Amino acid sequence: MTIRLIVVDDDPLVRAGLALMLGGAGDIEIVGEGADGSEVAELVDRHGPDVVLMDIRMPVMDGLAATERLRRRPDAPEVVVLTTFHADEQVLRAMRAGAAGFVLKDTPPAEIVAAVRRVAAGDPVLSPAVTRQLMTHVAGSGADTRRAAALRRLELLAGREREVALAVGRGGSNAEIAATLYMSVATVKTHVSRILAKLDLNNRVQIALLAHDAGLLDDEERT
């Protein structure tokens, strides 16, 4: 399967470099390029990509606002946010907006290619440094308010759905979750789809955030 990709970055040299690097992968096709977040909707309508690789800082509409708008659309493509910055609030905003990946621009080329492939396959991706900072931030200020709200939402899930949600929060792939919970991969996928629908979420990253916000993974570590 060929992954259809759009690259959005206001620096033409960066776009050219990314297009050269990603276009060299046999299973990735660059179907469009944009210089600003305001161009994303039209590019998606025109080219129907599977994944959008999106810079954060752009002059007219930044990548976070563009991601928020894009992920509200039905059948929206997945978004990987690519940036030189890794401030906690940017990571959280991108993930809560529905981005499935957050990769720093100094990430080795092979890892950026792998990130696009993983996101296209339905698996979220974060740079290890970003993951560590994110978990620290989630455990920080406002944790009590977030926990109460997250727990209320998770009450909507049935028992097995809740188990799958926690496994997603631990970072497990569908195959890993299936092995741990003694169910088929197809059943895991069904549960994930139901969780997304019940909780009105966009992707697995948001399920993981909700599990962390609820403090359930912290509870597991303490026990």
Side-chain angles (χ1 to χ4, degrees):
M1 172 186 133
T2 299
I3 301 167
R4 296 172 59 81
L5 178 71
I6 286 176
V7 177
V8 184
D9 194 297
D10 63 327
D11 187 331
L13 292 178
V14 171
R15 286 201 311 276
L18 289 170
L20 181 64
M21 173 184 68
L22 291 160
D27 57 344
I28 298 176
E29 178 186 2
I30 309 298
V31 296
E33 296 181 21
D36 190 81
S38 61
E39 303 173 13
V40 171
E42 182 181 350
L43 286 168
V44 169
D45 287 340
R46 188 188 312 157
H47 300 291
D50 302 301
V51 179
V52 177
L53 188 62
M54 185 105 68
D55 187 25
I56 281 188
R57 296 209 169 181
M58 292 181 284
V60 179
M61 179 185 292
D62 66 31
L64 298 178
T67 297
E68 289 170 345
R69 290 191 179 188
L70 179 59
R71 292 297 300 172
R72 285 198 293 264
R73 295 162 53 124
D75 300 320
E78 299 292 351
V79 176
V80 176
V81 174
L82 182 66
T83 183
T84 55
F85 303 93
H86 51 86
D88 298 333
E89 63 274 10
Q90 291 179 334
V91 181
L92 285 168
R93 183 179 165 195
M95 292 172 68
R96 294 189 193 285
F102 192 105
V103 180
L104 302 181
K105 285 185 178 178
D106 60 4
T107 299
E111 292 183 21
I112 295 177
V113 172
V116 170
R117 287 173 175 153
R118 282 187 57 187
V119 166
D123 290 329
V125 108
L126 288 173
S127 297
V130 172
T131 302
R132 287 193 296 271
Q133 290 192 351
L134 174 65
M135 292 305 102
T136 299
H137 184 87
V138 168
S141 61
D144 290 343
T145 300
R146 286 197 308 273
R147 178 166 184 154
L151 286 170
R152 284 196 299 271
R153 294 185 72 185
L154 289 172
E155 287 175 358
L156 298 173
L157 303 181
R160 291 297 263 175
E161 291 169 347
R162 187 183 177 93
E163 291 177 3
V164 170
L166 292 180
V168 169
R170 298 185 205 105
S173 66
N174 287 338
E176 291 167 341
I177 294 170
T180 301
L181 298 181
Y182 303 102
M183 60 178 67
S184 69
V185 172
T187 301
V188 173
K189 291 180 179 179
T190 298
H191 281 311
V192 170
S193 296
R194 288 175 179 168
I195 292 165
L196 293 173
K198 281 187 176 183
L199 303 183
D200 193 25
L201 300 175
N202 281 314
N203 57 34
R204 296 166 68 98
V205 175
Q206 292 181 328
I207 296 174
L209 272 176
L210 196 63
H212 282 287
D213 283 349
L216 299 180
L217 303 183
D218 295 336
D219 292 343
E220 285 185 346
E221 290 177 2
R222 284 193 292 269
T223 58

